[in-house]
Amino acid sequence: MEKRQKIHEGKAKAVYSTDDPDRLIIDFTDTATAFDGAKRGTIHEKGRLNNLISALFFEKLAEAGIPTHYRGTLSDREMLVVPVEIVMVEMVVRNIATGSLCRRLPFIDGTELEPPLVELFYKDDSLGDPLINDDHALLMGLASREELAEMKRLSLAINDALRPYLMDAGIVLVDFKLEFGRYQGGLVLADEISPDTCRFWDASTKEKMDKDRFRKDMGKIEEAYQEIYQRLTRLKGD
Ligand code: TMP
Ligand code: ASP
């Protein structure tokens, strides 16, 4: 597999073409941003850890029959994927109320959401990724009604697969953000699933083990990402 030119530069990842038109390489960097890029920093080892943690999740989801863009891990920071057309709707699944939900609506921080809540956000940093509903997405031509239904179904199926897996590692899956892409006439899970895109709380201490530590300047950021990776790899070894 020959890595060719950079075709896209995101906030924390870069995408490269390869000599195979059906394969791209995602390069995970240590750059961290929050609040739509307003806050910037570096988290040592984040690229490696997010790449490896995402790979573990994508493998788990493949076992559960969820289609993803993941096709392999090339190195500590490089993931092999299929090329997709990203749907500009971010799907957020919430099992526990916190974050923007509690700022927008009178949900009490830390309360369980049963059934889990699925929210849609328009993927546009210049607008601050605003909350939208299916009708907005349809009118803006972001996705078809069928695609929106499929993204919701897949988001909940991903939650069902990852919650017990993480709980086995003593981690509560509080909420997470997903992105989907069009590939060969269907939708596949794309982007990453990592402490950058999820909230993880330690099951016994409720300590935050994710990017909220960076957003809120809580310290011990790299340690938290390391701990997530170590717990999941330990689980794999059992
Ligand atoms: P929120 O409570 O700030 O809306 O975040 C919900 C989840 O989505 C949380 O797990 C963090 C994740 N997230 C992203 O991955 N990217 C983003 O731009 C935002 C705002 C949240
Ligand atoms: N991912 C977004 C950013 O990079 C926001 C966040 O994660 O808080 O700005």
Side-chain angles (χ1 to χ4, degrees):
M1 181 74 48
E2 191 193 314
K3 194 172 180 179
R4 294 207 171 147
Q5 71 266 34
K6 194 187 282 189
I7 57 167
H8 177 73
E9 176 105 56
K11 283 176 295 193
K13 301 189 288 294
V15 183
Y16 292 82
S17 61
T18 72
D19 54 342
D20 180 347
D22 197 39
R23 292 290 182 273
L24 298 176
I25 294 172
I26 300 182
D27 229 319
F28 285 70
T29 74
D30 289 347
T31 305
T33 68
F35 314 119
D36 303 312
K39 177 170 176 157
R40 288 181 164 272
T42 300
I43 301 172
H44 182 243
E45 286 287 285
K46 178 172 86 81
R48 183 179 77 89
L49 292 164
N50 280 359
N51 182 33
L52 301 180
I53 291 167
S54 290
L56 290 170
F57 286 137
F58 284 134
E59 283 164 11
K60 197 81 217 162
L61 292 173
E63 281 171 29
I66 309 275
T68 83
H69 70 159
Y70 177 76
R71 291 296 182 274
T73 302
L74 296 178
S75 73
D76 270 3
R77 289 170 185 275
E78 293 172 311
M79 179 181 286
L80 188 65
V81 299
V82 294
V84 302
E85 182 201 340
I86 288 284
V87 177
M88 300 305 272
V89 176
E90 299 188 351
M91 305 292 291
V92 168
V93 181
R94 300 179 187 271
N95 296 306
I96 294 178
T98 193
S100 72
L101 177 64
C102 298
R103 291 195 293 275
R104 269 184 277 119
L105 291 164
F107 282 92
I108 296 168
D109 206 302
T111 49
E112 199 173 322
L113 301 168
E114 182 51 48
L117 176 65
V118 179
E119 293 181 327
L120 282 63
F121 294 86
Y122 177 37
K123 184 174 157 64
D124 185 328
D125 278 346
S126 67
L127 296 177
D129 291 350
L131 179 75
I132 57 170
N133 65 23
D134 283 36
D135 291 343
H136 295 106
L138 284 170
L139 284 167
M140 288 194 286
L142 303 179
S144 69
R145 200 172 284 288
E146 294 71 30
E147 285 177 327
L148 290 166
E150 179 67 356
M151 288 197 293
K152 181 163 182 185
R153 186 187 72 77
L154 287 170
S155 297
L156 289 170
I158 291 164
N159 190 40
D160 286 343
L162 295 188
R163 260 177 114 179
Y165 171 57
L166 282 156
M167 192 43 80
D168 282 347
I171 301 162
V172 178
L173 179 58
V174 174
D175 57 30
F176 55 97
K177 184 265 296 178
L178 301 171
E179 293 183 26
F180 291 90
R182 301 182 181 96
Y183 177 66
Q184 293 184 346
L187 287 172
V188 300
L189 177 65
D191 196 46
E192 66 182 281
I193 308 183
S194 72
D196 268 16
T197 62
C198 304
R199 285 196 176 95
F200 297 130
W201 291 354
D202 181 273
S204 45
T205 65
K206 302 289 181 279
E207 202 179 342
K208 296 182 198 305
M209 306 172 73
D210 56 61
K211 198 164 115 181
D212 265 355
R213 302 196 72 86
F214 170 76
R215 294 187 189 100
K216 296 169 186 248
D217 293 318
M218 298 172 74
K220 294 217 162 85
I221 307 169
E222 184 194 336
E223 287 86 340
Y225 282 57
Q226 286 279 8
E227 178 69 18
I228 295 288
Y229 180 58
Q230 273 158 21
R231 287 198 198 179
L232 293 177
T233 42
R234 232 178 280 142
L235 209 61
K236 209 178 172 189
D238 285 348

